[in-house]
Amino acid sequence: MINKTAAIIAAAGMGNRLGANLPKSLVKLLDKTLVEHAVANLSPVCELIIVTAPNGYESEYTKILGDQVKVITGGVLRSDSIRIAISKIPANYEYVLVHDAARALASTTLASSVLNQLIQGEQAVIPALDVIDTIKEVDSKGYVRNTLNRSSLKVIQTPQGFSRSILERAHQASEDATDDAALVEALGVAVKVIAGEDRAFKITTPSDIATALKFLIPDSDKKYKVGIGVDAHAFTTDKTRKLSLAGLVWESEDGLDGHSDGDVAAHAICDALLSAADLGDLGSNFGVAEAAYAGATGAKMLAECLVKVKSAGYKIENVSVQIVGNRPKIAPRRAEAISALSKALSGAKVSVSATSTDGLGFTGEGKGLSAIATALIVSA
Ligand code: CTP
Ligand code: MG
């Protein structure tokens, strides 16, 4: 069969410049190691992936990469590693992508563009970026020798793609080179340059990790804002008023006074949300005496606050509320309360806790309940 594509991922370096105290390819970026990112990005366009591991780390690489890849022991130099890997590719593979695990974030799209050029008949294809800075040659004494013509210079990346026979021949020369295209050039074969991508940069030094994370978390420039809210209500003497608290009705507990249902937990969360979004507070938004809110449930207020927070361009990351008072005991209905509050907030993460105040203050004397809440919101 023809047209089969193999990828070699060079991952046998120790990453001395990164200084992570483990091979660079095993360094984690969020949920995956560099080599796992590289494999995940290339696997959609390759039938076979060979990963070169540092001597002694083979089983560790096999463990994290599973059966989908073939792990082999790399050589002393990168070009040695590639040469060993080429020898392991079965004869029926026509195209080979050679990639660095250190360029872990190079996209599947880039690999696919390289491969497309091979399919269209190119024998060697490399991705590249334009040079932004002026480049000068400098002598060993620190003096400029000359200034290069920037317009014809390119920064070369991987994955580089080759017809298998060309790559094999190039490596038979057994010379060292930091990229495989250089060996192919030495054979006099035309090497096609296509547009590379910023995210295919080589992770080399510690500051590159932060740069890489920015590609993985495009929302790292999202704005997080925190808000706080407090509410308190006295127990009512009106025996017909049931206790509304944390989105639940508590039968046979004393109710709380208030224009609305008096749900201190819901109201504290509302204030926390409004304050996080710079939207004022419950009073300034709903009016304490507004007829429309007479007897309004905590759930209704929460839902309306959520709409306001959303309109301001935010979504809720989480809210947390603590209820302060002697009774009711919250723990037995905590899960129910969380689910009621969360439902009112369209599924937002909610946590509910409670405390008594050791007999102190109006809550300790059993005169009422209070609640304090925080909300974390993030620009949507
Ligand atoms: N590589 C390899 N075999 C070697 C040396 C390097 O497979 N004998 C791989 C590295 O794992 C890396 C890629 O070649 O993915 C490019 O090399 P580089 O970025 O220099 O990685 P390291 O050699 O690991 O880093 P350093 O030079 O800082 O030690
Ligand atoms: Mg190196």
Side-chain angles (χ1 to χ4, degrees), residues 47-70:
E47 285 84 17
L48 168 70
I49 295 184
I50 299 179
V51 169
T52 70
N55 194 3
Y57 285 90
E58 299 83 349
S59 56
E60 202 164 328
Y61 277 59
T62 306
K63 203 168 110 202
I64 61 168
L65 296 172
D67 297 338
Q68 55 173 339
V69 307
K70 186 179 172 75

Side-chain angles (χ1 to χ4, degrees), residues 225 227-230 267-286 305 308-309 312:
K225 295 178 72 176
I228 187 166
V230 172
H267 296 173
I269 294 172
C270 286
D271 264 339
L273 287 169
L274 294 171
S275 93
D278 277 330
L279 292 172
D281 50 35
L282 271 180
S284 67
N285 277 273
F286 299 104
C305 285
K308 287 174 187 283
V309 165

Side-chain angles (χ1 to χ4, degrees), residues 171-247:
H171 272 276
Q172 271 156 16
S174 87
E175 277 175 34
D176 180 32
T178 53
D179 88 334
D180 303 276
L183 299 174
V184 171
E185 288 151 43
L187 296 179
V189 172
V191 177
K192 170 86 177 178
V193 179
I194 64 162
E197 55 183 23
D198 289 337
R199 58 182 301 144
F201 79 105
K202 188 161 85 165
I203 297 166
T204 308
T205 62
S207 69
D208 291 338
I209 298 288
T211 308
L213 284 172
K214 285 201 188 117
F215 285 104
L216 286 178
I217 317 171
D219 44 359
S220 61
D221 54 4
K222 283 199 163 176
K223 268 207 301 214
Y224 284 86
K225 295 178 72 176
V226 67
I228 187 166
V230 172
D231 193 32
H233 284 284
F235 284 119
T236 176
T237 48
D238 177 357
K239 292 290 169 203
T240 64
R241 223 173 130 90
K242 285 185 181 153
L243 176 66
S244 292
L245 184 64

